[in-house]
Coordinates of all heavy atoms in Angstrom, one line a residue:
F1 N 4.9 -15.0 2.5 CA 5.5 -14.7 3.8 C 4.4 -14.2 4.7 O 4.2 -13.0 4.9 CB 6.6 -13.7 3.7 CG 7.7 -14.1 2.7 CD1 7.7 -13.5 1.4 CD2 8.6 -15.0 3.0 CE1 8.7 -13.9 0.5 CE2 9.6 -15.4 2.1 CZ 9.6 -14.8 0.9
P2 N 3.5 -15.1 5.2 CA 2.3 -14.6 5.9 C 2.4 -13.9 7.2 O 1.4 -13.4 7.7 CB 1.5 -16.0 6.0 CG 2.6 -17.0 6.0 CD 3.6 -16.5 5.1
T3 N 3.6 -14.0 7.8 CA 3.8 -13.2 9.0 C 4.8 -12.1 8.9 O 5.1 -11.4 9.9 CB 4.3 -14.2 10.1 OG1 5.6 -14.7 9.7 CG2 3.3 -15.3 10.4
A4 N 5.4 -11.9 7.7 CA 6.4 -10.9 7.5 C 5.7 -9.5 7.5 O 4.6 -9.3 7.1 CB 7.1 -11.1 6.2
L5 N 6.5 -8.5 7.9 CA 6.1 -7.1 7.9 C 6.6 -6.4 6.7 O 7.9 -6.4 6.5 CB 6.5 -6.4 9.2 CG 6.1 -7.1 10.5 CD1 6.8 -6.5 11.7 CD2 4.6 -7.2 10.7
F6 N 5.8 -5.8 5.9 CA 6.2 -5.2 4.6 C 6.1 -3.7 4.7 O 5.0 -3.1 5.1 CB 5.3 -5.7 3.5 CG 5.7 -7.1 3.0 CD1 5.3 -8.2 3.7 CD2 6.4 -7.2 1.8 CE1 5.6 -9.5 3.2 CE2 6.8 -8.5 1.3 CZ 6.4 -9.6 2.0
N7 N 7.1 -3.0 4.3 CA 7.2 -1.5 4.1 C 7.1 -1.3 2.6 O 8.0 -1.6 1.8 CB 8.5 -1.0 4.6 CG 8.5 0.5 4.8 OD1 8.4 1.0 6.0 ND2 8.5 1.3 3.7
I8 N 5.9 -0.7 2.1 CA 5.6 -0.7 0.7 C 5.6 0.7 0.2 O 4.8 1.5 0.6 CB 4.3 -1.4 0.4 CG1 4.3 -2.9 1.0 CG2 3.9 -1.4 -1.0 CD1 2.9 -3.5 1.0
D9 N 6.5 1.0 -0.8 CA 6.5 2.3 -1.5 C 5.8 2.2 -2.8 O 6.2 1.4 -3.7 CB 8.0 2.7 -1.7 CG 8.2 4.0 -2.3 OD1 7.2 4.7 -2.5 OD2 9.3 4.4 -2.6
I10 N 4.7 2.9 -2.9 CA 3.9 2.9 -4.2 C 4.5 3.9 -5.1 O 4.5 5.1 -4.9 CB 2.4 3.2 -3.9 CG1 1.8 2.1 -3.0 CG2 1.6 3.2 -5.2 CD1 1.7 2.5 -1.5
K11 N 4.9 3.4 -6.3 CA 5.7 4.2 -7.2 C 4.9 5.0 -8.2 O 5.5 6.0 -8.7 CB 6.7 3.3 -8.0 CG 7.8 2.7 -7.1 CD 8.7 3.8 -6.5 CE 9.9 3.3 -5.8 NZ 10.7 4.4 -5.2
T12 N 3.7 4.6 -8.5 CA 2.9 5.4 -9.5 C 1.5 5.5 -9.0 O 1.0 4.7 -8.2 CB 2.9 4.7 -10.9 OG1 2.2 3.4 -10.8 CG2 4.4 4.4 -11.3
D13 N 0.8 6.5 -9.6 CA -0.6 6.6 -9.2 C -1.4 5.4 -9.6 O -2.3 4.9 -8.9 CB -1.2 7.8 -10.0 CG -0.7 9.1 -9.4 OD1 -0.1 9.1 -8.3 OD2 -0.9 10.2 -10.1
A14 N -1.1 4.8 -10.8 CA -1.8 3.6 -11.3 C -1.6 2.4 -10.4 O -2.4 1.5 -10.5 CB -1.3 3.3 -12.7
A15 N -0.5 2.4 -9.6 CA -0.3 1.2 -8.8 C -1.0 1.3 -7.4 O -1.1 0.4 -6.7 CB 1.2 1.1 -8.5
A16 N -1.6 2.5 -7.1 CA -2.2 2.7 -5.8 C -3.4 1.7 -5.6 O -3.4 1.0 -4.5 CB -2.7 4.1 -5.7
E17 N -4.4 1.7 -6.4 CA -5.5 0.8 -6.1 C -5.2 -0.7 -6.2 O -5.6 -1.5 -5.4 CB -6.7 1.2 -7.1 CG -7.2 2.6 -6.7 CD -8.5 2.9 -7.4 OE1 -9.2 2.0 -7.9 OE2 -8.9 4.1 -7.3
P18 N -4.3 -1.1 -7.2 CA -3.9 -2.5 -7.2 C -3.2 -2.9 -5.9 O -3.3 -4.0 -5.4 CB -3.0 -2.6 -8.4 CG -3.6 -1.6 -9.4 CD -3.9 -0.5 -8.5
T19 N -2.4 -2.0 -5.4 CA -1.7 -2.3 -4.1 C -2.6 -2.5 -3.0 O -2.5 -3.4 -2.2 CB -0.7 -1.1 -3.8 OG1 0.3 -1.0 -4.8 CG2 0.0 -1.3 -2.5
A20 N -3.6 -1.6 -2.9 CA -4.6 -1.7 -1.8 C -5.4 -3.0 -2.0 O -5.7 -3.6 -1.0 CB -5.5 -0.5 -1.8
R21 N -5.7 -3.3 -3.2 CA -6.5 -4.5 -3.4 C -5.7 -5.8 -3.0 O -6.3 -6.7 -2.4 CB -6.9 -4.6 -4.9 CG -7.8 -5.8 -5.2 CD -8.4 -5.7 -6.6 NE -7.4 -5.6 -7.7 CZ -7.1 -4.5 -8.4 NH1 -7.8 -3.4 -8.2 NH2 -6.2 -4.5 -9.3
A22 N -4.4 -5.8 -3.4 CA -3.6 -7.0 -3.0 C -3.5 -7.1 -1.5 O -3.6 -8.2 -0.9 CB -2.2 -6.8 -3.6
I23 N -3.4 -6.0 -0.8 CA -3.3 -6.0 0.7 C -4.6 -6.5 1.3 O -4.6 -7.3 2.2 CB -2.8 -4.6 1.2 CG1 -1.4 -4.3 0.7 CG2 -3.0 -4.5 2.7 CD1 -1.0 -2.9 0.9
R24 N -5.7 -5.9 0.8 CA -7.0 -6.4 1.3 C -7.2 -7.8 1.1 O -7.7 -8.6 1.9 CB -8.1 -5.5 0.7 CG -8.3 -4.1 1.2 CD -9.6 -3.6 0.8 NE -9.9 -3.7 -0.6 CZ -9.6 -2.7 -1.5 NH1 -9.0 -1.6 -1.0 NH2 -9.9 -2.9 -2.7
D25 N -6.9 -8.3 -0.2 CA -7.2 -9.7 -0.5 C -6.4 -10.6 0.3 O -6.9 -11.8 0.6 CB -6.9 -9.9 -2.0 CG -7.9 -9.3 -3.0 OD1 -8.9 -8.8 -2.5 OD2 -7.6 -9.2 -4.2
Q26 N -5.2 -10.2 0.7 CA -4.4 -11.1 1.6 C -4.6 -10.8 3.1 O -3.9 -11.4 3.9 CB -2.9 -10.9 1.2 CG -2.5 -11.4 -0.2 CD -2.8 -12.8 -0.3 OE1 -2.5 -13.6 0.6 NE2 -3.3 -13.2 -1.5
R27 N -5.5 -9.9 3.4 CA -5.8 -9.6 4.8 C -4.6 -9.2 5.5 O -4.3 -9.6 6.6 CB -6.6 -10.7 5.5 CG -7.9 -11.1 4.7 CD -8.7 -12.0 5.6 NE -9.1 -11.3 6.8 CZ -10.2 -11.5 7.5 NH1 -11.1 -12.4 7.0 NH2 -10.5 -10.8 8.6
A28 N -3.8 -8.3 4.9 CA -2.5 -8.0 5.4 C -2.4 -6.6 5.9 O -1.3 -6.1 6.2 CB -1.4 -8.2 4.3
T29 N -3.5 -5.9 6.0 CA -3.4 -4.5 6.4 C -2.7 -4.3 7.7 O -1.9 -3.3 7.9 CB -4.9 -3.9 6.5 OG1 -5.6 -4.0 5.3 CG2 -4.9 -2.4 6.9
A30 N -2.8 -5.2 8.6 CA -2.2 -5.0 9.9 C -0.7 -5.2 9.9 O 0.0 -4.8 10.9 CB -2.8 -6.0 11.0
R31 N -0.1 -5.7 8.9 CA 1.3 -6.0 8.9 C 2.0 -5.3 7.8 O 3.2 -5.7 7.4 CB 1.6 -7.5 8.8 CG 1.0 -8.2 7.6 CD 1.2 -9.7 7.7 NE 0.7 -10.5 6.6 CZ 1.4 -10.9 5.6 NH1 2.7 -10.6 5.5 NH2 0.8 -11.6 4.6
V32 N 1.4 -4.2 7.2 CA 2.1 -3.4 6.2 C 2.1 -2.0 6.7 O 1.3 -1.5 7.4 CB 1.5 -3.6 4.8 CG1 1.4 -5.0 4.4 CG2 0.1 -2.9 4.8
L33 N 3.1 -1.3 6.1 CA 3.2 0.2 6.1 C 3.2 0.6 4.7 O 3.9 0.1 3.9 CB 4.4 0.7 6.8 CG 4.6 2.2 6.8 CD1 5.3 2.7 8.1 CD2 5.4 2.7 5.6
V34 N 2.3 1.6 4.3 CA 2.3 2.1 2.9 C 2.8 3.5 2.9 O 2.6 4.3 3.8 CB 0.9 2.0 2.3 CG1 0.4 0.6 2.2 CG2 -0.1 2.8 3.1
T35 N 3.5 3.8 1.9 CA 4.1 5.1 1.7 C 4.3 5.5 0.3 O 4.2 4.6 -0.6 CB 5.4 5.3 2.5 OG1 5.8 6.6 2.6 CG2 6.5 4.5 1.9
S36 N 4.6 6.7 0.0 CA 5.0 7.2 -1.3 C 5.7 8.5 -1.1 O 5.4 9.3 -0.2 CB 3.7 7.4 -2.2 OG 4.1 7.9 -3.4
F37 N 6.5 8.9 -2.0 CA 7.1 10.2 -2.0 C 6.1 11.2 -2.4 O 6.2 12.4 -2.0 CB 8.3 10.3 -3.1 CG 9.5 9.6 -2.6 CD1 9.8 8.3 -3.0 CD2 10.4 10.3 -1.8 CE1 11.0 7.7 -2.5 CE2 11.6 9.8 -1.4 CZ 11.9 8.5 -1.7
N38 N 5.0 10.8 -3.0 CA 3.9 11.7 -3.4 C 2.8 11.7 -2.4 O 2.3 10.7 -2.1 CB 3.3 11.2 -4.8 CG 2.2 12.1 -5.3 OD1 1.1 12.0 -4.8 ND2 2.5 12.9 -6.3
E39 N 2.5 12.9 -1.8 CA 1.5 13.0 -0.7 C 0.1 12.6 -1.2 O -0.6 11.9 -0.5 CB 1.5 14.4 -0.1 CG 0.5 14.6 0.9 CD 0.5 13.7 2.1 OE1 1.5 13.0 2.3 OE2 -0.4 13.7 2.9
R40 N -0.3 13.0 -2.3 CA -1.7 12.7 -2.8 C -1.8 11.2 -3.0 O -2.8 10.6 -2.6 CB -2.0 13.4 -4.1 CG -3.3 13.1 -4.7 CD -3.6 14.0 -6.0 NE -2.5 13.8 -6.9 CZ -2.4 12.8 -7.7 NH1 -3.2 11.8 -7.7 NH2 -1.4 12.7 -8.6
R41 N -0.8 10.6 -3.5 CA -0.8 9.1 -3.7 C -0.9 8.4 -2.3 O -1.6 7.4 -2.1 CB 0.4 8.7 -4.5 CG 0.4 7.2 -4.9 CD 1.7 6.9 -5.7 NE 1.9 7.8 -6.8 CZ 3.1 8.2 -7.2 NH1 4.2 7.8 -6.6 NH2 3.2 9.1 -8.2
R42 N 0.0 8.9 -1.4 CA 0.0 8.3 -0.1 C -1.4 8.3 0.6 O -1.9 7.4 1.1 CB 1.0 9.0 0.8 CG 1.2 8.4 2.2 CD 1.9 9.3 3.2 NE 1.1 10.4 3.6 CZ 0.2 10.4 4.5 NH1 0.0 9.3 5.2 NH2 -0.5 11.4 4.8
R43 N -2.0 9.5 0.5 CA -3.3 9.7 1.1 C -4.4 8.8 0.5 O -5.3 8.3 1.1 CB -3.7 11.2 1.0 CG -3.1 12.1 2.0 CD -3.6 13.5 1.9 NE -3.0 14.4 2.9 CZ -3.5 14.5 4.1 NH1 -4.6 13.9 4.5 NH2 -2.9 15.4 5.0
H44 N -4.3 8.7 -0.8 CA -5.2 7.8 -1.5 C -5.2 6.4 -1.1 O -6.2 5.8 -0.8 CB -5.0 7.9 -3.0 CG -5.9 7.1 -3.9 ND1 -7.3 7.1 -3.7 CD2 -5.7 6.3 -4.9 CE1 -7.9 6.3 -4.5 NE2 -7.0 5.8 -5.3
V45 N -4.0 5.8 -1.0 CA -3.8 4.4 -0.5 C -4.3 4.3 0.9 O -5.0 3.3 1.2 CB -2.4 4.0 -0.7 CG1 -2.2 2.5 -0.2 CG2 -1.9 4.0 -2.2
V46 N -3.9 5.2 1.8 CA -4.4 5.2 3.2 C -5.9 5.2 3.2 O -6.5 4.4 4.0 CB -3.8 6.3 4.0 CG1 -4.4 6.5 5.3 CG2 -2.2 6.1 4.1
S47 N -6.5 6.0 2.4 CA -8.0 6.0 2.4 C -8.6 4.7 2.0 O -9.8 4.4 2.4 CB -8.5 7.2 1.5 OG -8.4 6.8 0.1

């Protein structure tokens, strides 16, 4: 879905870097929102 807007909840610390990698590889940063209930995890993915 190359034009869809995704709201992505990262559920575990281990999923943070793979999530960021997938978003970068698909050049999708501009069409996603990343979040987590965990603040440290949220900040890590945003960074």
Side-chain angles (χ1 to χ4, degrees):
F1 306 103
T3 62
L5 306 173
F6 281 79
N7 194 108
I8 303 168
D9 182 4
I10 298 100
K11 290 299 189 182
T12 67
D13 290 347
E17 294 191 14
T19 295
R21 184 168 58 250
I23 292 168
R24 283 197 307 268
D25 288 350
Q26 293 299 320
R27 303 196 59 151
T29 302
R31 59 186 179 96
V32 305
L33 176 148
V34 294
T35 191
S36 174
F37 283 96
N38 181 284
E39 174 59 11
R40 180 176 53 79
R41 188 183 306 147
R42 183 195 72 83
R43 284 182 177 273
H44 181 45
V45 178
V46 168
S47 74

